[in-house]
Amino acid sequence: MKLPQFKIKHLLFILVLGISSILFNTDQTNAYTVQSFPIEAPSTLGCAITDGEDGNIWFIKTSERKLVKSNNQGTMTEFDIPAIGQLDPDPYPGFCSMAADGAGGVLFTSNDRPSPQTARSGYIRRADTNGEINSTLITIPETTINSGLAPSRMGLFRIENIDNDNYWVVGGSLEDAYNIVMKVNSSGQVLTFWETEIGEGSILNSVKDESNNLWIAPLGKLVKLNTDGQASVFPLDNIVNVTALESDQLNNIWIYPYPFDEDNGNLGAGNKLGKLNVNTNTITYYP
C-alpha cells in the first residue's frame, strides 16, 4: 500500500519531534549529554525502534529493508529483511512499530503480499538476537464494515507484545479511514478484535499500559481496549489528532496533540500536554 507523500513528511516531523522531546531538556540545571552515532547508508525513512531484552536497541531502515541492532556504544549490525516466499516485498516494513517479544526477540509488522492481493492480511515478523527472521500470517477478519474495502488497501501497522504467546496488532487502511485492533496469538489466530471507521492517520498512535490494555487515538478521543476486546471511550478536549501516546508506571496515559491542522494550514492544539488518570477517568491538560 502506498503511503501518501504528505504523510511521509508529517511522519518524519513527528519522529524528529518525538526524539527531540526525549533527548533534550531545556532546564539548564539538568542538562543531558547527548551522544550521536553515525548510521551506515542512513535511510530516507526510518521510525520503528525498540529496546530489546538482549540490552541492544533495534530499529528498521525502512527504505533499505534493513533490521539494525545497536549496542549502547553505537556498534551496529545490519540484517536484511527478506521477502516472504514469492510475495511482493513491503516497502514500509515495521511501519513505525517494533516491540520486544518477552522471549529475547523483537517483533515488527510486514505487509508482503501477492500481486494482486486477494486477502486482507499481513505478517508478524520475529527476529532473534542473531537477526534470523521468520514470519506468521495474520488474516484480518472480513466484517460488514470492511467488506467493501479493496484488500490491496489493507495492512498491519503496529504491534505490542502482551506476553510470550499473544500480541496486540493494529491494522486497517490509511486511505479508507478504517481501523481494526486485534488480539492475536503466536500462531496468527485472531482471538478478539475491535474495529471502527476513523479519521486518516490515527492508526499510527497506540500504547500498551501496565495492565496490558491497548490505547489508541482515533479522531477526538482515546479508546482503551482490554484483553477481552471491550472498549472504553474518553473524549478529548478540542484535540483532533494525537501525535504520540505514552503510559507511565502509575498507569497514566500521556497525550501529545498533533500540532498541525491540515484543513486550516496552521498549528493546531499543539500547545498543551494531556494526562489521563485511568483510576478517575479524568484528563488534565498542561500548557
Side-chain angles (χ1 to χ4, degrees):
M1 179 173 57
K2 184 177 178 182
L3 186 66
Q5 290 299 313
F6 74 88
K7 283 299 175 187
I8 292 179
K9 177 183 69 175
H10 292 171
L11 205 58
L12 291 173
F13 168 76
I14 291 170
L15 175 64
V16 172
L17 181 67
I19 292 176
S20 300
S21 67
I22 295 171
L23 295 182
F24 300 104
N25 185 338
T26 56
D27 184 349
Q28 294 302 309
T29 63
N30 293 296
Y32 293 110
T33 299
V34 179
Q35 291 180 279
S36 298
F37 304 108
I39 299 174
E40 182 180 353
S43 174
T44 54
L45 178 62
C47 53
I49 188 168
T50 193
D51 54 331
E53 292 188 350
D54 59 357
N56 294 302
I57 295 295
W58 294 77
F59 63 94
I60 292 177
K61 293 165 61 176
T62 303
S63 300
E64 286 77 23
R65 287 182 60 88
K66 298 282 189 180
L67 178 66
V68 185
K69 176 175 71 173
S70 174
N71 64 20
N72 59 10
Q73 284 80 44
T75 301
M76 301 182 193
T77 305
E78 295 190 351
F79 308 98
D80 291 325
I81 299 175
I84 300 171
Q86 301 299 313
L87 304 182
D88 291 339
D90 180 7
Y92 300 104
F95 204 81
C96 297
S97 180
M98 295 184 71
D101 70 354
V106 293
L107 304 163
F108 60 96
T109 60
S110 185
N111 293 307
D112 296 32
R113 60 191 60 198
S115 182
Q117 186 187 10
T118 57
R120 295 164 174 80
S121 61
Y123 291 85
I124 291 177
R125 307 204 66 172
R126 181 184 184 273
D128 63 20
T129 55
N130 297 317
E132 292 291 329
I133 300 173
N134 59 20
S135 60
T136 300
L137 175 66
I138 304 295
T139 300
I140 299 174
E142 184 169 352
T143 70
T144 55
I145 294 180
N146 69 31
S147 62
L149 302 182
S152 61
R153 299 167 76 89
M154 305 286 285
L156 306 180
F157 305 114
R158 293 190 64 82
I159 185 168
E160 297 278 356
N161 176 245
I162 297 175
D163 52 43
N164 289 352
D165 298 312
N166 298 285
Y167 317 120
W168 285 114
V169 181
V170 181
S173 171
L174 284 173
E175 291 92 341
D176 294 305
Y178 167 77
N179 190 77
I180 187 167
V181 181
M182 299 169 288
K183 179 185 173 185
V184 303
N185 63 21
S186 55
S187 300
Q189 180 186 6
V190 178
L191 304 177
T192 185
F193 66 89
W194 179 88
E195 62 180 342
T196 185
E197 295 173 283
I198 60 170
E200 185 176 348
S202 52
I203 54 177
L204 298 179
N205 306 302
S206 67
V207 69
K208 185 187 70 172
D209 67 21
E210 296 291 312
S211 301
N212 285 326
N213 302 305
L214 189 76
W215 294 78
I216 62 173
L219 291 178
K221 58 183 175 289
L222 288 178
V223 177
K224 179 182 77 172
L225 292 143
N226 66 22
T227 53
D228 293 326
Q230 301 299 311
S232 302
V233 179
F234 303 87
L236 297 177
D237 181 22
N238 296 322
I239 294 177
V240 177
N241 251 324
V242 173
T243 297
L245 298 174
E246 188 55 274
S247 172
D248 65 23
Q249 292 180 341
L250 299 177
N251 241 12
N252 299 306
I253 303 298
W254 291 83
I255 309 150
Y256 192 85
Y258 188 51
F260 187 77
D261 184 337
E262 292 175 359
D263 294 329
N264 298 315
N266 56 36
L267 292 180
N271 62 343
K272 58 185 177 182
L273 189 68
K275 180 182 74 173
L276 171 65
N277 184 316
V278 298
N279 295 318
T280 62
N281 292 338
T282 56
I283 298 178
T284 303
Y285 294 100
Y286 304 96

